[in-house]
């Protein structure tokens, strides 16, 4: 296992596989300072620990396609644990433990045709407040660039002790969050 620590995470290119790493950030807020941050396609992130980054633990970047985020521990990041950003499609987030992040555990912010399955999503988002404190968020967003969140599957996750609702599906004005399947999740 290789450990990467400091202020700069990894920016993957198309087709990269990131595996068996410990990516530890500076544990101080810094926009754009994510553990894995990029707008690439066909990226696999697996069997790694991503923690204490100043922004998101993992941020796919806008319009990224076919990311697979598998069997990781994503914890204690300042913002979202995992963000599938606007326009992201056909992503799989499976078998991860996502805990202790400052905002949403898993955020499909304008992402479609993604599968979020068999994850443990716990203690994300501080207590109280109305936004960005959910365990799993599926959201059509109107910010630039605007994007819908349609045809996602949220299945078999264990969601507990987050700052707000465990799983929420919503759409901002002028956007949609349609045809999403939420099944077989456990909320404790």
């Amino acid at each position: 296992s290789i450990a990467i620590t400091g202020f700069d995470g990894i920016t993957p290119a198309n087709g990269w596989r990131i595996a068996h790493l410990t990516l530890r950030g500076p544990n101080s807020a810094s926009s754009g300072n994510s553990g894995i941050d990029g707008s690439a396609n066909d990226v696999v992130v697996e069997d790694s620990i991503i923690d204490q980054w100043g922004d998101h633990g993992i941020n796919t970047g806008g319009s990224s396609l076919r990311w697979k985020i598998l069997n990781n521990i994503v914890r204690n990041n300042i913002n979202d644990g995992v963000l599938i950003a606007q326009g992201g499609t056909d992503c799989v987030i499976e078998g991860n433990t996502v805990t202790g992040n400052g905002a949403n555990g898993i955020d499909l912010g304008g992402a479609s045709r993604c599968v979020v399955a068999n994850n443990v999503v716990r203690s994300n988002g501080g207590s109280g407040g109305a936004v960005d404190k959910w365990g799993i968020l599926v959201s059509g967003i109107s910010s630039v660039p605007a994007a819908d969140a349609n045809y996602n599957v949220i299945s078999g996750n264990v969601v507990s002790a987050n700052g707000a609702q465990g799983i929420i599906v919503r759409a901002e004005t002028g956007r949609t969050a349609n045809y999403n399947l939420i099944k077989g999740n456990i909320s404790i």
Side-chain angles (χ1 to χ4, degrees):
S1 170
I2 297 173
I4 297 174
T5 60
F7 288 91
D8 295 320
I10 293 175
T11 303
N14 290 340
W16 276 28
R17 178 176 178 259
I18 300 166
H20 309 290
L21 294 177
T22 298
L23 301 170
R24 181 160 295 121
N27 201 26
S28 61
S30 174
S31 181
N33 181 235
S34 297
I36 298 172
D37 193 357
S39 293
N41 299 323
D42 303 303
V43 173
V44 177
V45 180
E46 63 184 333
D47 299 316
S48 294
I49 298 171
I50 298 106
D51 74 344
Q52 299 182 4
W53 288 95
D55 202 357
H56 308 287
I58 299 172
N59 177 2
T60 64
S63 300
S64 294
L65 307 174
R66 299 175 300 274
W67 278 56
K68 293 183 181 177
I69 300 168
L70 310 169
N71 304 314
N72 300 287
I73 298 171
V74 183
R75 65 183 179 208
N76 303 324
N77 298 289
I78 301 295
N79 207 331
D80 295 328
V82 177
L83 170 63
I84 307 298
Q86 298 99 315
T89 58
D90 302 308
C91 297
V92 176
I93 305 166
E94 186 169 8
N96 301 285
T97 299
V98 182
T99 184
N101 297 289
N104 304 305
I106 298 172
D107 186 344
L108 303 184
S112 291
R113 298 190 319 260
C114 295
V115 174
V116 178
N118 305 315
N119 300 286
V120 174
V121 183
R122 167 181 75 239
S123 301
N124 297 287
S127 60
V131 297
D132 288 333
K133 298 185 180 293
W134 295 294
I136 300 172
L137 170 64
V138 178
S139 180
I141 57 174
S142 56
S143 61
V144 177
D148 297 321
N150 300 321
Y151 301 101
N152 295 293
V153 176
I154 312 300
S155 175
N157 299 287
V158 177
V159 183
S160 66
N162 295 288
Q165 290 87 347
I167 299 171
I168 188 163
V169 178
R170 67 173 192 176
E172 295 176 356
T173 303
R175 304 314 315 162
T176 64
N178 294 327
Y179 312 107
N180 293 291
L181 176 62
I182 313 298
K183 68 175 186 172
N185 298 285
I186 297 172
S187 181
I188 301 171

